[in-house]
Amino acid sequence: MDTATKPGDDFFRYANGTWLDKTQIPSDKPAYSLRLAMTDLTEQRLHDMMESLDAKPNDNPFTLEEKVGAFYRSFMDEARAEQLGAKPIEPELNALKNAKTRDDFAALMGRSTTDFEFSLFNPMIDVDLKDPKKYAFYLTQAGIGLPDRDYYLKPEFAAQKTAYQNYVATVLKLLNWPEAEKSAKNIVDFETKIADASWTKAQQRDFNAIYNPMSVQDLKKFVPGFAWDKFLAEAKMPNLTRVIIAEKSAFPKIIDAYSKTPIDTVRAWQAFHIADNASPYLSKPFTDAYFQLHAKTLSGQKEQQAPWKRAITAVSGGDFLVADRFGTFGTMGFGVGQLYTAKYFPAEAKQKNQDL
């Protein structure tokens, strides 16, 4: 606390002032708190645990310990990553090159739930806001790579928008994409139109406004010009009958912008986002470019995290306050949680929590 500050003048300063004056933000984090100090301890424990796990010599892990160990060591094999470059995402890029129509692109967008593809709309399953005993399928606005629509539309974010366009060009060059600079400009122009059609954060906080249930058949009538059946089939929801859309008035406008955008720009847009989503797992040129834009430019983080920290985030997940979008949940979060609990959460601690 900073008791020299009157709480009626600045309560935040009164409650936290001494902490703010004395605490140094670690160079590999965009923020720091007591919560994140606990995260440091958890990460160190995970590191020690994963380093002790052996993958099977024949690269065919069977037990949970072997699977976690194999995944961790695969991520830490930097020489292999450098050798492969962009090769690990060739299947996605080849599928993109074979896409000829907007229906084909809609199908690829449906894979955003299971792969590196990007989408104009985010599909997700969550509790029904007005019938909490049931789950519901939601669709929300998406399609932009910067954190919010304001980054595209407000002059105070011009520097970040320029940095983003430079990053798009860098990633496309790493993919040997033709006319990378021109394509990057076209991509950012396309996303600016999507941003202009999108709802603001304030609008998204109106729970009644973002609750718009309808049948899939009505969705197809409300937003024609998009291959919803193919999109939902690739999202593993081919038999879906009901959907709740959030930013209702934005959906037709986003599809209108999409329908007027040249196919080559849509293809480049998807190629960039596939690589962007995969970059944390790829070679150093990709990971360095990803860090410069997402962590340094947009979040103020000074240094890239050590490879082992990125490895445990990829395997087991990371703190919601600092992990970027690729690693919040991790790929084996529940499995690693099982091993972590067995090692660090004794029965007496569980009993204390249950008693509490």
Side-chain angles (χ1 to χ4, degrees):
M1 298 170 70
D2 174 15
T3 54
T5 298
K6 292 182 179 180
D9 292 342
D10 186 343
F11 190 80
F12 184 80
R13 176 80 201 173
Y14 168 75
N16 305 291
T18 303
W19 165 266
L20 292 170
D21 291 342
K22 292 185 176 182
T23 303
Q24 295 296 313
I25 298 176
S27 58
D28 67 345
K29 286 184 173 65
Y32 207 59
S33 65
L34 292 177
R35 151 82 173 272
L36 297 181
M38 291 191 291
T39 295
D40 288 341
L41 173 61
T42 304
E43 287 181 342
Q44 188 58 57
R45 286 175 169 178
L46 287 167
H47 181 222
D48 295 343
M49 185 179 77
M50 291 186 195
E51 282 284 342
S52 69
L53 298 176
D54 290 323
K56 293 186 78 171
N58 63 359
D59 290 328
N60 185 25
F62 178 73
T63 67
L64 181 55
E65 289 83 356
E66 289 167 350
K67 290 176 181 178
V68 173
F71 193 169
Y72 174 76
R73 294 184 192 286
S74 173
F75 192 104
M76 291 296 290
D77 189 351
E78 294 179 82
R80 177 73 169 151
E82 295 309 305
Q83 178 188 10
L84 291 172
K87 193 170 183 179
I89 56 174
E90 276 186 2
E92 288 85 355
L93 295 176
N94 286 336
L96 183 58
K97 290 173 183 176
N98 291 330
K100 305 299 181 186
T101 68
R102 292 183 196 274
D103 285 6
D104 295 336
F105 285 106
L108 291 177
M109 290 183 213
R111 298 180 186 178
S112 63
T113 58
T114 56
D115 207 342
F116 293 122
E117 284 83 1
F118 201 56
S119 178
L120 295 170
F121 308 103
N122 278 336
M124 67 178 195
I125 295 172
D126 206 340
V127 172
D128 191 313
L129 283 171
K130 296 196 175 184
D131 189 2
K133 292 183 179 180
K134 296 179 180 179
Y135 282 97
F137 184 90
Y138 291 87
L139 285 170
T140 65
Q141 67 186 27
I144 58 175
L146 284 168
D148 186 71
R149 70 191 296 274
D150 288 353
Y151 283 75
Y152 297 86
L153 305 175
K154 293 192 174 181
E156 56 262 42
F157 293 109
Q160 289 92 332
K161 186 177 180 181
T162 298
Y164 177 61
Q165 184 170 316
N166 292 336
Y167 170 65
V168 176
T170 297
V171 171
L172 291 177
K173 288 174 185 176
L174 291 173
L175 297 177
N176 296 315
W177 201 264
E179 299 185 285
E181 298 282 354
K182 180 181 177 182
S183 293
K185 182 183 184 304
N186 291 339
I187 289 167
V188 175
D189 287 346
F190 173 42
E191 292 191 4
T192 300
K193 292 173 184 174
I194 296 172
D196 189 49
S198 301
W199 283 18
T200 65
K201 283 284 190 288
Q203 289 174 298
Q204 290 173 309
R205 292 189 186 107
D206 184 337
F207 279 95
N208 286 315
I210 63 170
Y211 188 87
N212 301 287
M214 62 180 67
S215 69
V216 171
Q217 293 302 316
D218 286 340
L219 172 66
K220 289 190 281 189
K221 294 174 184 175
F222 178 64
V223 192
F226 191 73
W228 290 107
D229 287 337
K230 290 190 175 184
F231 174 86
L232 292 171
E234 290 295 329
K236 311 298 183 186
M237 301 295 290
N239 300 317
L240 187 72
T241 58
R242 180 179 181 266
V243 62
I244 299 174
I245 66 173
E247 304 86 358
K248 187 174 181 180
S249 63
F251 275 48
K253 295 176 184 177
I254 290 172
I255 290 302
D256 182 62
Y258 168 65
S259 67
K260 294 174 181 175
T261 299
I263 284 285
D264 285 346
T265 297
V266 175
R267 195 187 313 277
W269 169 80
Q270 185 65 267
F272 157 70
H273 281 292
I274 287 171
D276 177 49
N277 288 332
S279 283
Y281 307 101
L282 299 176
S283 58
K284 195 172 185 298
F286 286 97
T287 59
D288 285 353
Y290 185 93
F291 164 76
Q292 285 293 327
L293 187 280
H294 291 287
K296 192 171 185 179
T297 300
L298 297 181
S299 299
Q301 186 174 317
K302 294 178 181 178
E303 294 180 8
Q304 193 168 10
Q305 284 194 325
W308 70 263
K309 288 190 175 184
R310 288 181 275 138
I312 63 171
T313 300
V315 178
S316 64
D319 193 296
F320 278 75
L321 294 182
V322 293
D324 61 32
R325 66 179 186 265
F326 95 92
T328 302
F329 290 100
T331 304
M332 296 187 67
F334 288 104
V336 174
Q338 184 178 325
L339 299 180
Y340 187 93
T341 301
K343 188 173 179 67
Y344 295 110
F345 192 62
E348 56 266 28
K350 181 176 181 178
Q351 188 60 50
K352 278 186 178 180
N353 276 280
Q354 288 178 329
D355 291 343
L356 181 65

